[in-house]
Each structure stands twice: as C-alpha cells, then as structure tokens.
Amino acid sequence: MDLTNFPNLLIAGVYYLFTGVMIFFSLFGVYILTRYGESKMLSLFVSIIYSIFFLSLLANSYNSLQKIL
C-alpha cells in the first residue's frame, strides 16, 4: 500500500473509519444477541455464523482496498 500521496491516504482513512464503525455495531449486535436471546444455544450458533460471515466480508474488503491502493 502506497500511502504517500493524499488521495490514497484519504481512501484508506475513510475505509478504516467505516470499518471501525461496522466493527463496533457488529460487536454490539452480537453482545445483545447472546445476552438477551431467548435460546442461548441458538443465539451462540447465530453469533458464530455471523462472525464467520463478517470476518470473510472484512477480509474481502481489505483485499479490495489493497488492490485499489
């Protein structure tokens, strides 16, 4: 990643800001689901599936960022 020029730095900053907000809300959502879910086992299963999906989405978006920059 070449972060020496301003447009690349701006794109990376917006990406990391958006990713940070998404991570915060995802962690909050998983916490609410596991804390207040009706069935603890179902809540845990859904949280694990969501986490795997979210991490794969995050890895793909980071690879896209590297290709852009």
Side-chain angles (χ1 to χ4, degrees), residues 9-21:
L9 191 60
L10 184 64
I11 291 170
V14 168
Y15 170 79
Y16 287 125
L17 181 67
F18 182 68
T19 302
V21 169

Side-chain angles (χ1 to χ4, degrees), residues 19-68:
T19 302
V21 169
M22 276 182 30
I23 289 172
F24 173 74
F25 284 121
S26 291
L27 288 175
F28 184 70
V30 167
Y31 169 74
I32 293 297
L33 182 64
T34 55
R35 177 84 170 125
Y36 299 110
E38 287 283 324
S39 169
K40 294 293 181 185
M41 290 304 293
L42 181 63
S43 298
L44 180 65
F45 179 72
V46 170
S47 297
I48 289 172
I49 295 297
Y50 175 75
S51 298
I52 291 169
F53 173 73
F54 182 74
L55 289 176
S56 67
L57 180 72
L58 195 61
N60 288 337
S61 68
Y62 185 72
N63 287 335
S64 297
L65 175 69
Q66 286 182 335
K67 288 177 185 175
I68 290 171

